[in-house]
Amino acid sequence: MATAIFGRKKHMTQAFQDDGTLVSVTVIEVEPNFITAVRTADENGYDAVQVGFGTVPSRKVNKSHAGAFEKHETPPRKHLRELRGVTGEVGESLAADVFEVGDKVHVTATSKGKGFQGTIKRHGFARGPVSHGSHNVRAPGSVGASADPARVFKGQKMPGQMGNKNATVKNLRVAHVDPEKNELWVRGGVPGGKNAVVRIRKAGE
């Protein structure tokens, strides 16, 4: 049984629960994920399924992918991804109803890129004094040792690229499932910007 699926982040909103409490939720559009290939441990060294999702005109699909879609009689899909630990047969489709309200899920996506940032924004460093004559307002300060070993150790918290990396938010609760609209609502925020491709998998699997 499928315990993972790909979707697209739409927006955040609020929803009332059964007990009347108001919670923040992220709406994820989960178009049907068509299984286009099956990976097995005997042939590929691991168990997984390849799924296609996202509508795209047939003229924008390359020949190899178009042949695979035609072979399995599935409409062309924009994205092809693998889901490990998921079983199924070629031609089957996975939808939002693989999850139920109350399930805990892990959501993975590429976080928003924030460019090159300093240590205050990137790591939460405190700033220096801003009194007259100060030259160390937002500088990171000392980063190295003394004469021995006379170098900067690897892994120091330094300025650099912030965001735009794979991020996972764990144990989010499913608040609502709408198979007709292909929507999945999860409590809290998830990584990525609007229309970001996200992977949702059941916690503990």
Side-chain angles (χ1 to χ4, degrees):
M1 181 178 179
T3 55
I5 199 170
F6 283 97
R8 188 178 297 278
K9 178 179 177 180
K10 294 184 68 177
H11 55 82
M12 290 194 70
T13 185
Q14 294 175 321
F16 285 100
Q17 293 188 304
D18 293 337
D19 58 2
T21 57
L22 185 66
V23 296
S24 298
V25 297
T26 301
V27 180
I28 301 174
E29 182 183 9
V30 182
E31 295 182 4
N33 288 198
F34 290 96
I35 299 178
T36 57
V38 177
R39 315 296 188 199
T40 61
D42 295 336
E43 296 184 4
N44 308 103
Y46 62 96
D47 293 317
V49 295
Q50 183 190 71
V51 296
F53 59 97
T55 57
V56 64
S58 57
R59 59 185 172 82
K60 291 188 177 182
V61 179
N62 62 37
K63 289 185 178 181
S64 59
H65 288 174
F69 292 131
E70 183 178 354
K71 176 181 178 181
H72 304 305
E73 297 182 353
T74 58
R77 295 294 161 182
K78 185 175 182 180
H79 304 285
L80 286 175
R81 298 285 193 278
E82 285 191 356
L83 291 171
R84 295 204 176 197
V86 177
T87 59
E89 299 293 334
V90 174
E92 292 183 7
S93 64
L94 312 177
D97 56 6
V98 299
F99 298 108
E100 297 179 353
V101 174
D103 286 347
K104 283 187 176 181
V105 295
H106 301 333
V107 181
T108 302
T110 301
S111 61
K112 290 181 180 180
K114 300 182 183 299
F116 190 98
Q117 299 297 334
T119 52
I120 291 179
K121 180 171 182 177
R122 193 182 187 206
H123 300 295
F125 279 22
R127 63 166 175 78
V130 293
S131 57
H132 180 69
S134 173
H135 296 285
N136 186 21
V137 178
R138 296 181 69 90
S142 176
V143 296
S146 185
D148 183 23
R151 64 185 179 87
V152 177
F153 290 109
K154 290 183 178 180
Q156 288 283 354
K157 292 182 178 179
M158 304 278 278
Q161 167 69 33
M162 183 178 179
N164 194 30
K165 62 182 180 180
N166 212 38
T168 301
V169 178
K170 296 185 176 181
N171 297 319
L172 297 178
R173 188 79 66 175
V174 175
H176 176 68
V177 179
D178 192 339
E180 294 182 359
K181 293 184 178 180
N182 296 326
E183 287 183 352
L184 187 71
W185 295 14
V186 296
R187 290 185 58 177
V190 304
K194 187 177 181 180
N195 293 322
V197 174
V198 300
R199 184 188 67 181
I200 311 109
R201 61 186 175 91
K202 189 173 291 187
E205 299 184 5

